[in-house]
Amino acid sequence: MVSSNPISVLTFLTLLFFLSPSSSAVPTAEICQSTTSPPFCNFFLPNSPASVHSHCRFTLHHALVHARTFLSLVNAHLNLFPSLSPLHDCRSLAEANLDFLSQTFSIVNSTTTTLLPYYDAHEKLTLMSAVITNEDTCYEGLASLDSAVGLVDKVLEAISFDKKLYSLYLSLFKMGWVSKDLKAPTLPKMKHFGVGKGQLKLKMSPKDRAYYERLVHRNKPPGARRLLQTNYQDDGIVINGIVGVDQNGTYDFTNITAAIAAAPNKTTVAKGYFLIFVAAGIYNETVLIPKEKRYVLLIGEGNNQTIITGNKNVVDGSTTFNSATVAVEGTGFLGVNLTISNTAGAAKHQAVALRVSADNATLYNCIFEGYQDTLYTHSLRQFYRECDIYGTVDFIFGNAAVVLQNCNIYARLPLSGQFNALTAQGRTDPNQNTGTSIHNCTIKATPELAASPATKSYLGRPWKQYSRTVYMQSFIDSFIDPAGWKEWDGTMNLNTSYYAEFNNSGPGSDTSQRVSWAVGVINATVANSFTVSQFLAGDRWLPPTNVPYTGGLIS
């Protein structure tokens, strides 16, 4: 890590800039022309010929210094204003940014060649994309508080500068280490299957298997229907540790939060998943899977059987980021057979059921219920399979690289005078590898909305400048307005957003009257870039979950 001493920092940066491996030197202005902000690039980088790799190295080390300084600034403000909830969000986000930037250090500092395999480049782009998203989230939370006017100006100023710095770093990294035709390896067309909807194959020790069977069958009278069926096979998901949760005191824990605390810290997928079995019941608690709790498998007895519920919301004082009933920050999280609900209601506006800020996160056979902002696909890489999502305004939103596959998306009846937007994607930098891909899903209205034909519903609207959403091979029902997409605020973000459709079906899929500013219909080659294998690099991290997925387009 970079020393906090200014003299040693300067010496360290200078040595790295001139002595680390580099490619050919070119004028700084020439490199800056290809960045997102040439004026900032020319202002920030040394005005002497150097390679893109040297400039990127220089930028990374300044980024690490700024990330440390920003975290200290947030902590200082928290000491002065401990009741400002957005500052607590900012501290968590700042800690994550320092971690993400550090994870890119070894590659940037010691190599000058295009990253191979593909998966390494994709992972680093994902981390850098999340750094920018975290800056945006912190800024939004602080800027939305009228009571904080004047109190956090230094924090807001720091975010504005740091975001430009992180954007420059991402630009330079893509120039120096990422192939322009970055694609996942060509693999045979395939599907990975589990043993049935909501079921998994598990690989565990005889001791863990015996205990798991006791958990699943406990408290069930002879002949009672078993809600959860599980197969045990050598090619199943590797399990390393099991605990049970129920509300009757007969399992290990009576609440989910306590069970998560029992999970090991910073484990790896090779060591296996820590399985938390949650018996049927309604769990009224706010659940956080923190970043140190990696590869947690949270499995319920069945969606609509194991229900996690809460009602935090913006109207009552929460930030959107912190309103989630369940928030996931631990890498490799796998959630199966759960219902996650925010019951605040439409009148409370932003009220998140599930927020995911975790890489390689998977949700399978789950239900997410809310109104505005139900599912917050905040950042990093996420996959949802055979899930049901209910909501009204912007109810699938965020800036992750996310694929929803074989899901049911249900628009509900909003407040009087409101319209529905199914998605609100939040990409703010053209180099971020983020977006929302909706693949082989069913898009329908709930009966209440279907009975209110005057209420308008749209596929999405451009929340941020480079908002990107694609619907592919999905059924779209007639409740979707023929225009398809809705503007956010006048012409804002219309010319830079990316809204596309490919080979959809149903009465709402007719594109003849779509808005002129949408990308429109794309071909199979372009659509393939938004599939699980390409968009998420899913062939690297999804097979160990044992969750079924289709890697490419459906033929």
Side-chain angles (χ1 to χ4, degrees):
M1 292 299 175
V2 180
S3 168
S4 59
N5 184 294
I7 297 176
S8 61
V9 168
L10 178 60
T11 303
F12 186 52
L13 292 175
T14 302
L15 286 172
L16 283 166
F17 186 74
F18 288 109
L19 299 181
S20 297
S22 298
S23 54
S24 58
V26 296
T28 299
E30 183 177 324
I31 290 175
C32 287
Q33 286 176 0
S34 299
T35 64
T36 51
S37 177
F40 178 80
C41 178
N42 282 297
F43 159 78
F44 182 79
L45 294 181
N47 188 22
S48 58
S51 71
V52 66
H53 301 96
S54 294
H55 279 310
C56 187
R57 223 167 274 131
F58 176 87
T59 305
L60 168 59
H61 287 278
H62 274 285
L64 284 167
V65 171
H66 276 258
R68 286 179 178 274
T69 302
F70 182 72
L71 179 56
S72 298
L73 180 65
V74 170
N75 283 330
H77 277 71
L78 270 171
N79 289 334
L80 294 173
F81 312 112
S83 63
L84 285 182
S85 57
L87 283 173
H88 292 273
D89 296 346
C90 288
R91 177 165 60 186
S92 173
L93 295 162
E95 291 171 346
N97 277 357
L98 190 56
D99 178 39
F100 295 162
L101 288 168
S102 298
Q103 289 184 53
T104 69
F105 181 90
S106 61
I107 285 178
V108 171
N109 192 47
S110 60
T111 65
T112 59
T113 56
T114 299
L115 277 181
L116 294 173
Y118 159 83
Y119 302 110
D120 291 339
H122 198 278
E123 179 188 38
K124 298 304 180 288
L125 288 174
T126 297
L127 294 174
M128 294 178 206
S129 296
V131 167
I132 296 172
T133 299
N134 289 345
E135 291 292 296
D136 290 330
T137 305
C138 176
Y139 190 94
E140 289 156 7
L142 292 173
S144 67
L145 287 182
D146 293 337
S147 60
V149 172
L151 301 181
V152 292
D153 286 351
K154 289 184 179 180
V155 181
L156 294 173
E157 290 171 6
I159 294 172
S160 296
F161 181 88
D162 290 353
K163 185 179 173 183
K164 294 176 184 177
L165 178 59
Y166 300 148
S167 179
L168 174 61
Y169 177 46
L170 177 54
S171 293
L172 295 172
F173 179 82
K174 285 193 72 173
M175 279 189 265
W177 281 269
V178 181
S179 170
K180 288 183 171 60
D181 57 349
L182 179 68
K183 292 181 181 179
T186 301
L187 297 174
K189 290 185 178 180
M190 61 181 177
K191 297 180 181 180
H192 295 266
F193 289 104
V195 294
K197 184 173 182 179
Q199 300 174 31
L200 298 173
K201 292 185 293 183
L202 302 177
K203 180 180 180 180
M204 59 178 71
S205 68
K207 180 181 178 181
D208 282 348
R209 175 176 174 176
Y211 183 58
Y212 184 59
E213 286 291 327
R214 289 199 300 272
L215 289 176
V216 171
H217 287 292
R218 192 178 293 175
N219 294 334
K220 291 182 174 58
R225 180 174 69 91
R226 180 178 172 183
L227 293 174
L228 181 67
Q229 300 292 330
T230 306
N231 286 11
Y232 304 96
Q233 298 183 23
D234 286 341
D235 63 344
I237 179 173
V238 177
I239 300 300
N240 184 17
I242 300 173
V243 295
V245 179
D246 79 336
Q247 296 170 311
N248 301 318
T250 55
Y251 287 15
D252 302 290
F253 302 99
T254 58
N255 64 79
I256 299 168
T257 298
I260 292 168
N265 291 336
K266 298 183 178 180
T267 189
T268 65
V269 68
K271 292 180 181 178
Y273 284 75
F274 184 79
L275 192 159
I276 301 174
F277 173 75
V278 187
I282 299 175
Y283 297 82
N284 190 350
E285 58 178 302
T286 299
V287 175
L288 170 66
I289 296 87
K291 58 181 178 294
E292 66 270 15
K293 302 297 182 180
R294 301 171 184 170
Y295 298 98
V296 170
L297 166 54
L298 189 66
I299 184 167
E301 284 199 82
N303 58 36
N304 278 330
Q305 298 292 333
T306 299
I307 301 168
I308 310 172
T309 185
N311 62 2
K312 293 174 69 177
N313 61 85
V314 168
V315 170
D316 289 339
S318 175
T319 60
T320 301
F321 183 81
N322 201 37
S323 70
T325 300
V326 175
V328 180
E329 297 177 358
T331 298
F333 174 80
L334 174 55
V336 184
N337 298 339
L338 305 165
T339 292
I340 301 172
S341 178
N342 191 311
T343 61
K348 296 294 186 177
H349 298 285
Q350 296 95 331
V352 176
L354 173 68
R355 170 177 61 84
V356 179
S357 307
D359 202 20
N360 301 350
T362 306
L363 283 298
Y364 176 40
N365 195 44
C366 293
I367 298 173
F368 313 115
E369 297 176 329
Y371 287 86
Q372 183 170 347
D373 292 0
T374 302
L375 176 59
Y376 194 175
T377 58
H378 177 257
S379 57
L380 301 162
R381 292 173 291 190
Q382 308 175 21
F383 178 63
Y384 297 77
R385 173 80 180 200
E386 295 170 27
C387 294
D388 296 347
I389 306 107
Y390 293 83
T392 55
V393 180
D394 308 332
F395 68 96
I396 301 170
F397 77 112
N399 195 24
V402 56
V403 175
L404 294 92
Q405 190 174 86
N406 293 33
C407 292
N408 297 309
I409 299 173
Y410 296 106
R412 307 175 82 169
L413 184 65
L415 294 173
S416 177
Q418 286 186 330
F419 60 84
N420 286 329
L422 276 60
T423 64
Q425 206 282 327
R427 192 167 66 133
T428 61
D429 190 295
N431 287 317
Q432 288 178 303
N433 66 345
T434 55
T436 300
S437 175
I438 296 174
H439 186 205
N440 196 36
C441 292
T442 298
I443 319 299
K444 288 190 173 182
T446 61
E448 293 81 6
L449 178 61
S452 179
T455 301
K456 298 283 190 178
S457 296
Y458 301 90
L459 297 173
R461 58 179 183 153
W463 178 30
K464 300 295 183 180
Q465 186 177 4
Y466 296 97
S467 180
R468 180 162 64 174
T469 301
V470 178
Y471 285 77
M472 309 190 302
Q473 299 180 311
S474 294
F475 175 86
I476 304 174
D477 217 343
S478 58
F479 77 102
I480 293 295
D481 190 270
W485 309 92
K486 179 70 172 176
E487 68 279 359
W488 184 270
D489 183 10
T491 60
M492 187 172 68
N493 306 334
L494 300 188
N495 295 327
T496 50
S497 61
Y498 187 99
Y499 286 142
E501 300 172 62
F502 171 75
N503 201 25
N504 296 307
S505 61
S509 68
D510 181 1
T511 60
S512 63
Q513 298 181 58
R514 292 294 196 248
V515 292
S516 60
W517 47 267
V519 170
V521 177
I522 53 177
N523 60 36
T525 300
V526 176
N528 191 61
S529 65
F530 295 100
T531 59
V532 169
S533 295
Q534 296 293 336
F535 196 52
L536 301 184
D539 294 327
R540 165 65 67 88
W541 56 273
L542 275 171
T545 70
N546 208 247
V547 170
Y549 76 91
T550 303
L553 296 172
I554 298 169
S555 56

